[in-house]
Amino acid sequence: MATANTEKPAFAPIKTQRAFEVICEQIRAQLAAGTLKAGDKLPAERELAAQFQVSRSALREALRSLEVAGIIRNLKGVKGGAVIQSAEPDRIVQAMQDYVHLGDVTLDELTEARIAIQDIVVRLACERGTEAHFAELEQIAERTRAETSVEARYECAAAYYDVLARATGNRMFGIFVDSLSGVLHEFVQGPGYETLQETLIDSRFKLIRFLRARDAEAAAEEMRKHLERVYRHVRKNIKAQAGSGGARKA
Amino acid sequence: MATANTEKPAFAPIKTQRAFEVICEQIRAQLAAGTLKAGDKLPAERELAAQFQVSRSALREALRSLEVAGIIRNLKGVKGGAVIQSAEPDRIVQAMQDYVHLGDVTLDELTEARIAIQDIVVRLACERGTEAHFAELEQIAERTRAETSVEARYECAAAYYDVLARATGNRMFGIFVDSLSGVLHEFVQGPGYETLQETLIDSRFKLIRFLRARDAEAAAEEMRKHLERVYRHVRKNIKAQAGSGGARKA
DNA sequence: CCATCTTGAATGGTCCGACCATTATAGTTT
DNA sequence: AAACTATAATGGTCGGACCATTCAAGATGG
């Protein structure tokens, strides 16, 4: 053995290129280059496997990877095959949920990030939102009041935040908001959630009024107070059930 | 055929549960419940397939899905198997890149989101960053000046933003920043990038001075101007190569 | 001629068995 | 005791097979 350089190994970690990885890379590259775009259709598995000169198993693992990444959708039957999907933020939310479940992010971090993001969203929505947006928000808020089940009300809340994010005209904020509230939703499974609902719904209507008045400061302040209320409630529940198997790390 | 209800179909879209999906769900569920956590090891493929009572192929597709999602890592050799990975934000960045490549996000949106996020990051870093953080930033900025290749300088830039995000003490911001700059990096492959470098490096040092002085306003302003400079440059390049196969949608 | 039904071929999903390179351990040799 | 070797288990890949699904072409009927 030659004497190892103690300073810096400088050896690139060997990267065994597996067949399915190469396939994924090639398809992703064509996607980034624009050769492939949403709606395009790939050949059938058997033919594609022949083109790549790999077995159908290896190709299927590649297609499966691309599918769970939300890039393609596999169609059955004759004239089937893989079609390039249009963009769906779901996978990003999924990735963030995985990240949180693997235990590196605390409730405090999630909440702080959410408050910061929503602050931006509210201010931009206040500036750029149209009356159509505000009307939609109002409609959702009224529907929330009508709903009774916790799950239905959460659906309404998600829709509310989604419209708010759309009002910014920037889809990236929608992604951030969806990700954070998707993850935080798991924490909001405690008792005494109903008692808070009246306050929360009032806050939504109040926010809409501020948005219509184009009062960014007041709107942002209202949203911040709202989120902090929810946070305090969630935090209390977390401590109550401290480590009962559910989402921990709070 | 019975007369279709024109009002609301109300039929839940059928969801053919494929074998690998069920497997993924079960493992993800155990992950969310805490039964499985980072570092745990799953049985070998053949044994796991027997436990789930599915073929090895179906199980492998499930494991492959979990691997590309960054949840597990497959080890070869005897005593091999799948081990639960610790959290890595790479997959979230990958998901965002896919989302952008699928063509729903414009350069303007990415830039606006980046400016907004960095504004938060800078202010928080200004408030919470330690001298250790600032020293690290300084070191990276000096290294940037020493580097010559475009790629090496990008590495430095990424490291710089990473430390900045770490200084906030909130990992979520690191994810957002990584995602946005990872995607934006693809746009920054144009001519005349070197001419801008001196200005950019100066801006980094200036920012560090503002951070040490705990002057959040000045720091945020400096970062904003910096990002807008980069944006104008990128935008110009995009228009120059308009639709030459590279990243479009600008 | 048009609408409906039947048929068939191609496809994705799954299963099985096999082989290879890699890897860690037990056993052997020095 | 150290170094080497043999062995068995593992993930990666391959090829073939069968099934339920799906769609299009052809057959049937009006």
Side-chain angles (χ1 to χ4, degrees):
Chain A
M1 286 296 184
T3 61
N5 187 346
T6 61
E7 255 310 318
K8 257 200 167 182
F11 286 126
I14 67 126
K15 170 77 171 177
T16 309
Q17 278 285 55
R18 289 170 291 185
F20 85 94
E21 283 178 317
V22 183
I23 298 175
C24 283
E25 279 173 21
Q26 288 200 25
I27 293 184
R28 271 202 168 90
Q30 292 212 17
L31 216 61
T35 314
L36 282 177
K37 58 182 188 300
D40 290 354
K41 196 162 114 25
L42 270 52
E45 284 184 0
R46 292 167 176 84
E47 184 186 335
L48 208 52
Q51 285 189 24
F52 280 111
Q53 298 197 13
V54 296
S55 76
R56 205 182 143 206
S57 320
L59 179 81
R60 274 181 66 79
E61 290 191 13
L63 291 184
R64 189 64 67 222
S65 302
L66 295 175
E67 185 191 325
V68 299
I71 296 181
I72 64 173
R73 197 173 105 233
N74 289 326
L75 298 180
K76 283 186 295 188
V78 65
K79 292 291 175 187
V83 293
I84 309 291
Q85 283 277 76
S86 53
E88 293 259 350
D90 306 6
R91 308 300 159 160
I92 304 176
V93 178
Q94 171 85 72
M96 288 218 184
Q97 288 189 355
D98 288 340
Y99 186 77
V100 172
H101 287 152
L102 287 176
D104 229 21
V105 180
T106 67
L107 173 62
D108 288 346
E109 285 173 290
L110 288 169
T111 303
E112 179 183 73
R114 193 186 192 197
I115 291 177
I117 297 287
Q118 287 288 8
D119 186 79
I120 301 171
V121 168
V122 166
R123 288 173 192 274
L124 282 178
C126 204
E127 181 186 334
R128 304 176 185 169
T130 66
E131 175 53 31
H133 288 130
F134 303 150
E136 196 173 353
L137 285 175
E138 205 161 34
Q139 184 183 343
I140 293 173
E142 277 162 7
R143 186 152 55 89
T144 311
R145 185 170 276 162
E147 294 287 352
T148 54
S149 81
V150 173
E151 201 54 34
R153 287 195 160 181
Y154 171 74
E155 299 270 344
C156 290
Y160 185 89
Y161 288 120
D162 199 61
V163 172
L164 202 58
R166 265 212 311 277
T168 67
N170 190 327
R171 297 177 190 84
M172 291 308 294
F173 292 122
I175 294 176
F176 295 151
V177 170
D178 281 353
S179 308
L180 292 170
S181 48
V183 176
L184 280 164
H185 175 226
E186 303 175 0
F187 289 91
V188 194
Q189 314 235 353
Y193 188 57
E194 293 79 1
T195 67
L196 207 62
Q197 283 290 348
E198 280 308 313
T199 320
L200 301 190
I201 294 176
D202 283 349
S203 171
R204 301 237 170 84
F205 281 110
K206 229 184 286 183
L207 181 66
I208 296 173
R209 279 199 297 275
F210 289 139
L211 289 175
R212 280 210 170 100
R214 307 288 180 185
D215 188 345
E217 281 303 326
E221 173 71 9
E222 182 60 37
M223 174 60 83
R224 192 181 55 75
K225 284 197 296 187
H226 167 77
L227 292 176
E228 282 173 355
R229 260 196 300 269
V230 175
Y231 169 62
R232 278 195 301 271
H233 177 266
V234 173
R235 187 184 177 81
K236 195 167 54 187
N237 275 4
I238 293 292
K239 284 188 175 173
Q241 65 180 22
S244 72
R248 307 158 321 285
K249 294 269 174 16
Chain B
M1 288 293 188
T3 61
N5 187 345
T6 61
E7 253 312 316
K8 256 198 169 184
F11 286 126
I14 67 127
K15 170 79 172 178
T16 308
Q17 278 286 54
R18 288 170 292 185
F20 85 95
E21 283 178 317
V22 183
I23 299 175
C24 283
E25 280 173 20
Q26 288 199 24
I27 294 184
R28 271 205 167 89
Q30 292 211 18
L31 215 61
T35 314
L36 283 177
K37 58 182 186 302
D40 289 356
K41 194 162 117 22
L42 270 53
E45 284 184 359
R46 292 166 176 85
E47 184 186 335
L48 208 53
Q51 284 189 24
F52 280 112
Q53 296 197 12
V54 295
S55 75
R56 206 183 141 205
S57 320
L59 178 83
R60 275 182 64 80
E61 290 192 13
L63 291 184
R64 188 65 66 224
S65 302
L66 295 175
E67 185 192 325
V68 298
I71 296 182
I72 64 174
R73 198 172 106 233
N74 289 325
L75 298 180
K76 283 185 295 189
V78 65
K79 292 292 175 187
V83 293
I84 309 291
Q85 284 276 78
S86 54
E88 293 259 349
D90 305 5
R91 307 301 159 161
I92 304 176
V93 179
Q94 171 85 75
M96 287 218 186
Q97 288 190 356
D98 288 339
Y99 185 78
V100 172
H101 286 152
L102 287 176
D104 230 22
V105 181
T106 67
L107 173 62
D108 288 345
E109 286 174 289
L110 288 169
T111 303
E112 179 184 73
R114 192 187 193 198
I115 291 178
I117 297 286
Q118 287 289 8
D119 185 79
I120 302 171
V121 168
V122 166
R123 289 171 192 275
L124 282 178
C126 204
E127 180 186 335
R128 305 175 185 169
T130 66
E131 174 54 32
H133 289 130
F134 303 151
E136 197 173 352
L137 285 175
E138 205 160 33
Q139 185 184 342
I140 293 173
E142 277 162 7
R143 188 153 53 89
T144 311
R145 185 170 277 162
E147 294 287 354
T148 54
S149 80
V150 173
E151 200 55 33
R153 289 196 158 181
Y154 171 75
E155 299 270 345
C156 290
Y160 184 89
Y161 288 120
D162 199 61
V163 172
L164 203 58
R166 265 214 309 277
T168 67
N170 189 327
R171 295 178 191 84
M172 292 308 294
F173 293 122
I175 294 176
F176 295 151
V177 169
D178 282 353
S179 308
L180 292 170
S181 48
V183 176
L184 280 164
H185 174 225
E186 304 175 0
F187 289 90
V188 194
Q189 314 235 353
Y193 188 56
E194 292 79 1
T195 67
L196 206 60
Q197 283 290 351
E198 279 308 311
T199 320
L200 301 190
I201 295 176
D202 283 348
S203 172
R204 301 235 169 85
F205 281 110
K206 230 184 285 182
L207 181 66
I208 296 173
R209 280 199 296 276
F210 289 139
L211 289 175
R212 281 209 169 101
R214 306 288 178 184
D215 187 345
E217 281 302 327
E221 172 73 7
E222 182 61 39
M223 174 61 83
R224 193 180 55 75
K225 285 198 296 186
H226 168 76
L227 292 177
E228 282 173 353
R229 260 196 299 269
V230 175
Y231 168 63
R232 278 195 301 270
H233 177 264
V234 172
R235 187 182 176 82
K236 195 166 53 185
N237 275 4
I238 292 293
K239 284 189 175 172
Q241 65 180 21
S244 72
R248 306 160 323 286
K249 294 274 174 12

